[in-house]
Amino acid sequence: MRNLLIYKYISEVAKSGSVRKAAEKLAITPSSLNRRVQSFEYEIGAPIFERSSKGVRLNPAGELVVHSFRKHLAEIEEL
C-alpha cells in the first residue's frame, strides 16, 4: 500500500499547484514531499511536473499519471 501514499502526494501537489501548499495540507515538510515526487519521476524515467517560480503544473505525461492515480484511488475507496 506504499504506492497509495505517493498517489495521494502527487495528486495533492497537482491539485494545489504548489509543493509547499500540498506539504502543509499533507502535514509533511516541503523538502520531503519534493524528494518523494522527484524519486517517483526518476523511477518512471520522466518528469511529470513543469516547475517554475510560481509553482508546479502537470505536463502531458503528468496529466495521464494523475488521472490514473485518481481513478485507482477512487477504486480503492470503493472497496
Side-chain angles (χ1 to χ4, degrees):
M1 291 290 188
R2 264 186 87 163
N3 289 343
L4 295 181
L5 192 56
I6 194 63
Y7 291 2
K8 291 177 184 177
Y9 286 176
I10 289 174
S11 184
E12 187 59 41
V13 172
K15 180 179 168 185
S16 69
S18 164
V19 171
R20 184 187 54 78
K21 289 178 186 175
E24 286 176 11
K25 185 166 183 177
L26 296 165
I28 64 173
T29 64
S31 61
S32 175
L33 179 56
N34 193 50
R35 280 193 308 273
R36 289 174 187 233
V37 170
Q38 288 176 333
S39 177
F40 176 81
E41 290 175 322
Y42 177 78
E43 193 173 320
I44 65 166
I48 59 171
F49 288 104
E50 294 175 4
R51 293 163 172 84
S52 72
S53 60
K54 295 181 181 182
V56 298
R57 72 176 210 188
L58 293 168
N59 64 22
E63 292 283 348
L64 292 172
V65 166
V66 169
H67 174 74
S68 177
F69 284 1
R70 289 179 178 159
K71 182 179 173 186
H72 190 216
L73 287 169
E75 290 170 349
I76 294 295
E77 195 169 305
E78 187 177 315
L79 286 174

